Amino acid sequence: MFQYSYAESDNQSWTKISFEKKLPYSLKLELAQGLRLKDELSTFNSTFFEAALSYKKSNGLKISLPYRYTIFEDKIKHRLSLGASYQYTFKPISLKYRIKYYRLYENGESTGEDDVTFGDLVRNKFTIKYKLSKKISPYISGELFHLYDNTDNNPLDGYRGSLGVEIDLPGKNSINFFYMFKKEELRNLNPNEINIIGLHYIAKI
């Protein structure tokens, strides 16, 4: 607990726009562009492009294969993921669990000069959503980041907690407003604490 008392903090904003297209055989193609600001919303942090192909069964099981290309001020990162989720609904509440594995590549390399991988991570996320009305659904979620190949005693590398609301718009589109608290790099003496205000617009084409 002593090391966490000196955590670095920041306020950020995350914005993202996504386009979704249904394909034959229960497949879906998703394309997204995002922008993130840091240092009290005054400085560019990163921008990314993401493409994902997913398959969803009628019983609520979904398998996805996302790829993300992220540009920072001083580096470029690639992220290839494999994810699976399951959603169970008993109106007006729905429960969703998601697990995702991904590996990071920085400037085309998966390891640094010390031969340590940039990010073999497993992410576990659980979400509870309540359908308040036909168009409005508030939710709460929590997510844990575990190092996949870790020799330390504590494989937990970070966690997130989110509160948000999804609003359905005309044309089967939607918008998501959220607040997120994020703590990352728990292995370090000064882990980062980040408060995030976010906006995600989803257009179905």
Side-chain angles (χ1 to χ4, degrees):
M1 296 300 295
F2 176 79
Q3 64 175 338
Y4 299 148
S5 63
Y6 295 95
E8 297 180 5
S9 61
D10 187 19
N11 294 320
Q12 297 187 6
S13 71
W14 292 4
T15 55
K16 179 179 176 182
I17 182 170
S18 300
F19 298 92
E20 299 181 354
K21 176 64 176 179
K22 287 187 176 181
L23 303 175
Y25 308 107
S26 301
L27 297 174
K28 180 188 292 184
L29 177 64
E30 301 173 53
L31 303 175
Q33 176 75 49
L35 175 65
R36 296 179 176 180
L37 303 178
K38 62 178 182 178
D39 297 333
E40 313 302 325
L41 319 184
S42 63
T43 306
F44 169 82
N45 183 27
S46 65
T47 183
F48 66 85
F49 169 79
E50 185 172 85
L53 184 65
S54 62
Y55 170 76
K56 187 174 183 180
K57 299 184 67 175
S58 58
N59 62 359
L61 178 65
K62 180 179 179 181
I63 300 173
S64 61
L65 185 65
Y67 167 76
R68 179 175 291 191
Y69 179 88
T70 307
I71 300 173
F72 295 85
E73 286 185 323
D74 57 347
K75 58 191 172 185
I76 294 176
K77 287 187 177 183
H78 306 261
R79 190 175 86 187
L80 183 62
S81 311
L82 176 63
S85 65
Y86 177 76
Q87 181 169 309
Y88 179 76
T89 301
F90 50 101
K91 294 181 180 181
I93 297 174
S94 64
L95 307 176
K96 183 177 180 181
Y97 170 73
R98 187 194 71 188
I99 184 170
K100 180 187 289 187
Y101 164 81
Y102 67 79
R103 167 168 285 190
L104 286 175
Y105 295 84
E106 187 173 308
N107 297 324
E109 301 291 336
S110 62
T111 59
E113 296 179 355
D114 52 3
D115 291 329
V116 176
T117 57
F118 291 122
D120 277 350
L121 291 176
V122 176
R123 297 168 56 172
N124 293 276
K125 184 177 182 179
F126 185 73
T127 303
I128 302 175
K129 185 185 298 184
Y130 180 81
K131 197 166 186 62
L132 187 63
S133 67
K134 187 176 181 180
K135 295 183 178 295
I136 300 176
S137 301
Y139 66 89
I140 182 172
S141 67
E143 186 171 15
L144 299 176
F145 291 68
H146 293 276
L147 295 170
Y148 177 71
D149 186 12
N150 180 59
T151 58
D152 298 335
N153 293 327
N154 182 18
L156 183 64
D157 190 55
Y159 58 85
R160 296 176 178 177
S162 302
L163 293 169
V165 58
E166 294 180 358
I167 303 174
D168 292 336
L169 302 175
K172 296 183 179 181
N173 302 323
S174 63
I175 194 167
N176 176 15
F177 297 96
F178 64 90
Y179 163 78
M180 177 189 298
F181 175 78
K182 177 182 178 182
K183 198 161 188 175
E184 59 183 12
E185 299 180 0
L186 299 183
R187 296 167 294 168
N188 298 338
L189 293 178
N190 297 313
N192 298 324
E193 292 184 351
I194 304 172
N195 295 290
I196 299 160
I197 297 297
L199 171 65
H200 182 193
Y201 176 80
I202 302 171
K204 298 182 179 180
I205 56 177

